[in-house]
Amino acid sequence: MSVDTMELLAPPAPGPRQECTTVLRVGARESAAQGVVTLTLVDPAGRPLPRWTPGAHIDLVLPEIGLVRQYSLCGDPADRYAWRIAVLLEPGGRGGSRHVHEALGRGATVLVRGPRNHFPLDPSPRYLFIAGGIGITPLLPMVAEAEAAGRDWELLYGGRSRSSMAFLDELASYGSRVRIHPQDEAGLLPLAQALDAPRLDSLVYCCGPEPLVTAVEGRCTDWPVDSLRTERFSARPVPPEQEERSTGFEVVCHRSGLTLDVAPHESILDVAERAGVRAFAACREGICGTCETRVLDGVAEHRDAILTDRQKAAGETMMICVSRCRGSRLVLDL
């Protein structure tokens, strides 16, 4: 077993959230759209799976190719015996989606970690859901929960074409609440129409490619604080001026009893790992939440795409794979 594989299989370090790691079996596999497959994961012994809530995702640990990949749960949270995920084949990716498509057929087993939820559906009288492509996956159970709770909601769902858009049959049962916008038929999503008038009674949930998320963020600048909740496929771009002012700082690892120097070009995670401090991580891009760490003293400069503005202002935790120190010293629960 390689060092990389051992690291992938190591249990997570203590932190603000704990999650289980288990081997699950692919109980069913179906085509959901062009280039998209759904996997239904079950416990090989038929035991119930951990509970989850809409917005949660799991890690697929793929030691065969040295990768960990995050996929949103898009089934029914009430079903304790099956987890469903949908995986888009990305030819230009690092190989995670290709491995899922080619190696994880019915009956195959896979190491799974989670569930973890940094994109929860918070209470609101009204919701606007905005999905781009495979970004529909975390929103699908949110829509179902909003409908079951009798909330006012609407879904804008865009994609390249109908053939590339997953779960259209499931969404058809909601009627006019769902507005489908295949780009080859209807053009881009009508964000100006949907978002130009801020509403005090609404939460906006958006998941999709970076151009869509950035456009929605731009349209929501006049909305009440924390009205918009987003989940990204990739890291949030760091403004050049913020990157230029990055400086070195000191990190005190409270539980390990070590004090580490983090240079301007290094991450806290890299330095901690090099010093032998267990600091578990998966995406290393600030989008999965695996490396979330408690801040005991000091002020973090948040660069992740997970925490809300209120959470960042509170400064209780940080993602050590991308975030830094706003000052010269941090004390972390490491």
Side-chain angles (χ1 to χ4, degrees):
M1 183 178 290
S2 69
V3 172
D4 287 344
T5 300
M6 292 174 64
E7 290 176 351
L8 287 170
L9 300 180
R17 294 176 175 84
Q18 293 296 317
E19 57 226 18
C20 74
T21 302
T22 187
V23 175
L24 298 183
R25 177 172 55 84
V26 179
R29 172 183 166 126
E30 298 177 354
S31 174
Q34 183 179 358
V36 179
V37 296
T38 62
L39 303 183
T40 300
L41 305 175
V42 299
D43 184 273
R47 293 168 296 201
L49 301 174
R51 297 183 185 278
W52 62 279
T53 54
H57 68 265
I58 57 174
D59 297 339
L60 295 192
V61 183
L62 309 172
E64 305 91 337
I65 57 174
L67 293 175
V68 178
R69 286 293 176 263
Q70 294 78 43
Y71 297 103
S72 296
L73 292 170
C74 58
D76 180 2
D79 186 350
R80 294 294 309 282
Y81 294 89
W83 284 348
R84 184 176 69 167
I85 61 172
V87 181
L88 170 67
L89 178 61
E90 300 182 75
R94 294 173 57 195
S97 65
R98 182 169 296 281
H99 180 82
V100 171
H101 275 247
E102 295 179 354
L104 296 186
R106 181 170 181 173
T109 57
V110 60
L111 187 65
V112 177
R113 187 163 52 236
R116 186 185 311 117
N117 197 343
H118 289 282
F119 193 45
L121 184 67
D122 291 328
S124 176
R126 182 180 182 273
Y127 299 98
L128 173 60
F129 301 110
I130 302 175
I134 200 63
I136 188 62
T137 51
L139 302 185
L140 203 62
M142 292 187 184
V143 163
E145 181 164 306
E147 177 72 6
R151 300 291 186 257
D152 183 14
W153 65 271
E154 182 180 13
L155 168 66
L156 302 183
Y157 179 18
R160 296 189 309 276
S161 64
R162 288 181 185 272
S163 62
S164 70
M165 299 171 69
F167 307 117
L168 291 183
D169 290 345
E170 291 184 29
L171 291 169
S173 64
Y174 296 116
S176 61
R177 287 183 182 270
V178 177
R179 296 165 59 187
I180 303 299
H181 282 265
Q183 188 172 346
D184 60 351
E185 299 176 23
L188 298 176
L189 288 170
L191 299 182
Q193 175 186 349
L195 296 169
D196 273 4
R199 294 187 57 151
L200 299 177
D201 64 343
S202 301
L203 290 180
V204 179
Y205 279 80
C206 175
C207 183
E210 185 60 35
L212 172 63
V213 177
T214 300
V216 171
E217 286 177 331
R219 293 285 180 182
C220 287
T221 53
D222 293 331
W223 283 60
V225 175
D226 278 351
S227 293
L228 173 63
R229 316 295 169 85
T230 63
E231 185 164 78
R232 285 175 150 83
F233 297 158
S234 57
R236 182 194 298 270
V238 178
E241 60 274 14
Q242 187 179 32
E243 195 66 67
E244 290 172 3
R245 66 170 182 263
S246 294
T247 60
F249 54 92
E250 181 181 85
V251 170
V252 178
C253 302
H254 180 71
R255 281 188 285 111
S256 304
L258 297 176
T259 298
L260 309 175
D261 291 322
V262 180
H265 64 282
E266 296 178 306
S267 71
I268 297 172
L269 175 63
D270 289 340
V271 173
E273 289 179 332
R274 194 166 61 239
V277 176
R278 174 166 289 182
F280 195 76
C283 74
R284 297 176 179 267
E285 296 181 351
I287 58 174
C288 77
T290 309
C291 70
E292 185 174 11
T293 302
R294 282 184 287 265
V295 178
L296 304 179
D297 192 33
V299 180
E301 180 182 279
H302 298 284
R303 298 186 179 185
D304 65 272
I306 298 170
L307 299 177
T308 66
D309 289 340
R310 292 186 191 277
Q311 290 170 329
K312 290 176 180 178
E316 295 177 355
T317 66
M318 67 184 298
M319 308 303 158
I320 61 172
C321 64
V322 293
S323 297
R324 303 186 64 77
C325 177
R326 195 180 297 277
S328 60
R329 183 176 180 269
L330 281 173
V331 181
L332 302 180
D333 187 22
L334 286 172

